[in-house]
Amino acid sequence: MNIYEKLVECALDSQKMAYTPYSNFKVGASVLTDSDKIYGGCNIENASYTPTVCAERVAIFKAIYNGEKKIKKIAVVGKENFFTYPCGVCRQVIREFCTNDCEIIIIKNKEEYKVIKFSELLPYSFGPEDL
């Protein structure tokens, strides 16, 4: 199994853990860190909506909590047979921990996904080096 297949599998497994009683829109994500560890995450909703957290951020924050500092790849899956992209907040969080050439794997289903560079997802981004 190649690294893309592992990330897709982790994101799909993570999606099953989503807590979405309000939207029923389950999202899973996985990240590959510089140390080649994979962390999964799912979206977690809240009745007041604002405290809801996206799958991408859960996966990234789990990695950071475990001592990781850089993300090499991130995979995202949402509605089956549709390409679901990270929201604006997640794009900015991803930017904090990856470079412009970080690969973003957008999953349509287990067999179909596309890989894009982060710079395509958030061109002209603001990152740590801009401070």
Side-chain angles (χ1 to χ4, degrees):
M1 183 179 295
N2 70 38
I3 194 63
Y4 295 107
E5 292 167 335
K6 288 179 183 178
L7 286 164
V8 167
E9 182 178 58
C10 181
L12 288 166
D13 287 344
S14 296
Q15 183 183 34
K16 295 173 188 170
M17 301 306 294
Y19 176 76
T20 59
Y22 309 105
S23 73
N24 207 26
F25 192 84
K26 297 180 182 303
V27 178
S30 60
V31 297
L32 176 70
T33 65
D34 269 355
S35 63
D36 292 327
K37 292 181 182 172
I38 296 175
Y39 295 88
C42 64
N43 57 325
I44 303 166
E45 293 182 344
N46 187 283
S48 66
Y49 289 103
T50 302
T52 295
V53 65
C54 299
E56 299 91 313
R57 287 182 278 152
V58 171
I60 290 168
F61 295 162
K62 281 172 61 179
I64 299 307
Y65 175 82
N66 282 286
E68 304 292 342
K69 298 293 182 242
K70 289 292 178 192
I71 303 298
K72 292 196 300 190
K73 299 179 190 320
I74 184 164
V76 181
V77 61
K79 187 175 179 183
E80 189 174 6
N81 292 316
F82 288 90
F83 292 112
T84 300
Y85 293 83
C87 73
V89 172
C90 287
R91 291 174 193 212
Q92 188 62 47
V93 171
I94 292 167
R95 176 62 180 93
E96 183 73 18
F97 300 104
C98 78
T99 61
N100 279 324
D101 62 345
C102 174
E103 292 183 324
I104 311 297
I105 302 126
I106 307 298
I107 304 164
K108 187 172 185 179
N109 54 53
K110 189 173 184 174
E111 292 79 33
E112 190 175 356
Y113 56 88
K114 58 182 160 182
V115 179
I116 61 174
K117 299 288 184 191
F118 180 76
S119 60
E120 297 173 74
L121 192 63
L122 187 62
Y124 311 107
S125 66
F126 183 87
E129 68 280 354
D130 295 312
L131 296 175

